[in-house]
Amino acid sequence: MQCHTSSKGRLGTSQRACSSTLVLHRSGTKCRQRAVPIPELASIATSVESIVNELASHAGPLQPAVQVIGGDVASVAALSPTLPGLARLTGLWYLLGTKPNPLLGMFDFFALGPINKALDRKIQARDFVLRDKLGGGNFGVTYEAVRLTDSDGTLSTRKPLTPEQKQRRVVMKRVNLDRVGVRNNFLKAGTMAKGAAESGAVESYMCNKIKRNPVVAGRCAAYLGEFEAEEGTNGIQKGTQWLVWKFESDSTLGDALSGQLGTWPEDVEDIMLGRSKANKPLEKREAAVIKAVLKQVMKGVLRLHSLGIVHRDIKPENLLITVNGEVSSQPELPMAAAVASVQELQA
């Protein structure tokens, strides 16, 4: 290492300029990294080429591709890249190194999606009866509904539900239809949705994509499917399009924060923490509840992002709290729910 010393350093100490990594010391020492000699670069490129040749000899049918990519890497190592080589390496990085992975996304869309559609049990308008309206917006209106069985007969929309019927409740969203309609293959073309009908098609695809991914689906509200009403029945108009989710809870985080469930955060302490903390100071118990809620939401959002899905409307009124201590978003939102288990949080 070559160094030059000067007596004009700060605080009367010496100052050095060294051929090592750039570092500023407290005494004012400044070091610069020496450029790698050209012979060393040539040696690195030769080593890369020998490794590539060894890999290519065992690559079988992929031998030409391995040799080409290896040659591109060697040229970059020698600081003499070509434009076609850089283009190939950039494309390879995009396909294999970016998240969410585009290859997995294409496999999901062109292979898993059609298989899932063919195997899924078809749901129809006559399978449900609408009850209370839950909310609505520019893209649709959501309702509480009950999934019917043969024993239900005629189920009144105002008749109180039995405990068994409450277990069969669902949330149904009627997609608003507009003059734009849904263009043929607009999802396959990768174009932006125009209007409420196409937004409903995108939402259906995203929810099905979550449903096909077990890691993410375990943290999200259960999506049951979609249908177009072929007949008018049980409050459902003919020709309308519907998305269906499992009914998760009657209470939202907004209800808890506003005091409708009791004093926040004590009102959800038992279901969020899953264990008694009566002997802990109040401040620590409150902090633990808030941390549990936020951690569940963040973990759920992280899993959605791993699929390239952005929720876009996370707020207390859109976060459901279940008796199991889970927090999930309202299913009628642009994207699906964000849920994490209490056991995972306590781990």
Side-chain angles (χ1 to χ4, degrees):
M1 182 172 65
Q2 298 176 351
C3 300
H4 305 281
T5 305
S6 172
S7 60
K8 295 182 180 181
R10 298 180 60 185
L11 301 178
T13 58
S14 63
Q15 183 174 1
R16 292 185 175 185
C18 310
S19 55
S20 60
T21 305
L22 177 62
V23 177
L24 288 176
H25 299 288
R26 185 173 61 179
S27 62
T29 303
K30 186 176 182 180
C31 303
R32 301 178 183 272
Q33 187 171 2
R34 181 175 53 188
V36 179
I38 297 300
E40 293 186 20
L41 291 176
S43 176
I44 293 174
T46 302
S47 299
V48 171
E49 289 179 354
S50 63
I51 294 173
V52 169
N53 291 332
E54 180 66 23
L55 292 175
S57 64
H58 298 85
L62 298 178
Q63 181 176 356
V66 173
Q67 287 180 329
V68 171
I69 296 299
D72 295 335
V73 173
S75 65
V76 170
L79 299 183
S80 57
T82 62
L83 286 179
L86 289 176
R88 284 189 291 267
L89 292 178
T90 301
L92 185 65
W93 170 82
Y94 171 74
L95 291 175
L96 301 179
T98 54
K99 293 182 180 181
N101 187 275
L103 287 179
L104 293 180
M106 288 186 286
F107 178 71
D108 176 88
F109 184 87
F110 291 103
L112 295 183
I115 293 174
N116 176 78
K117 186 175 182 179
L119 296 179
D120 260 1
R121 179 184 179 274
K122 301 298 186 293
I123 54 177
Q124 306 175 67
R126 61 173 175 266
D127 294 333
F128 308 95
V129 58
L130 294 183
R131 290 180 62 84
D132 297 328
K133 179 180 177 180
L134 299 177
N138 294 329
F139 298 103
V141 182
T142 56
Y143 298 86
E144 176 188 331
V146 176
R147 193 163 192 167
L148 298 174
T149 62
D150 295 337
S151 61
D152 286 322
T154 302
L155 184 62
S156 171
T157 58
R158 296 300 177 187
K159 182 179 179 181
L161 298 176
T162 65
E164 191 274 334
Q165 289 171 335
K166 288 183 178 181
Q167 295 296 319
R168 291 189 272 114
R169 287 183 297 174
V170 297
V171 173
M172 298 181 60
K173 176 178 179 179
R174 188 192 67 210
V175 178
N176 288 340
L177 301 180
D178 47 34
R179 296 180 180 179
V180 176
V182 179
R183 292 166 291 169
N184 291 331
N185 297 325
F186 89 98
L187 281 174
K188 185 181 295 185
T191 57
M192 295 291 291
K194 296 181 179 180
E198 288 191 351
S199 296
V202 172
E203 185 175 2
S204 173
Y205 165 69
M206 292 296 183
C207 291
N208 276 306
K209 185 175 183 178
I210 292 170
K211 183 179 177 181
R212 291 191 290 270
N213 190 299
V215 175
V216 183
R219 302 292 182 262
C220 297
Y223 181 64
L224 303 180
E226 63 283 331
F227 67 90
E228 180 177 345
E230 298 178 353
E231 58 181 341
T233 181
N234 300 330
I236 300 175
Q237 296 180 356
K238 181 179 179 180
T240 52
Q241 296 179 0
W242 296 83
L243 310 180
V244 186
W245 294 264
K246 179 182 178 182
F247 192 95
E248 299 286 354
S249 175
D250 291 294
S251 302
T252 69
L253 183 59
D255 297 332
L257 290 171
S258 64
Q260 297 184 37
L261 305 182
T263 302
W264 168 265
E266 290 89 343
D267 52 355
V268 294
E269 179 179 335
D270 290 342
I271 62 173
M272 291 306 305
L273 301 181
R275 58 183 183 273
S276 175
K277 285 182 172 286
N279 59 337
K280 297 288 184 68
L282 177 62
E283 294 80 4
K284 290 189 175 182
R285 299 203 310 269
E286 291 179 346
V289 172
I290 295 171
K291 180 180 178 181
V293 171
L294 291 178
K295 194 171 184 179
Q296 289 196 45
V297 174
M298 291 299 101
K299 285 193 172 184
V301 169
L302 180 64
R303 284 160 175 77
L304 288 176
H305 288 181
S306 70
L307 294 182
I309 298 175
V310 180
H311 191 287
R312 302 193 304 171
D313 198 15
I314 298 176
K315 56 186 178 182
E317 291 74 19
N318 291 334
L319 293 170
L320 299 172
I321 299 179
T322 72
V323 294
N324 296 323
E326 295 179 340
V327 179
S328 65
S329 69
Q330 296 273 22
E332 72 270 13
L333 298 178
M335 300 305 168
V339 185
S341 67
V342 174
Q343 289 76 14
E344 181 181 5
L345 295 174
Q346 296 174 354

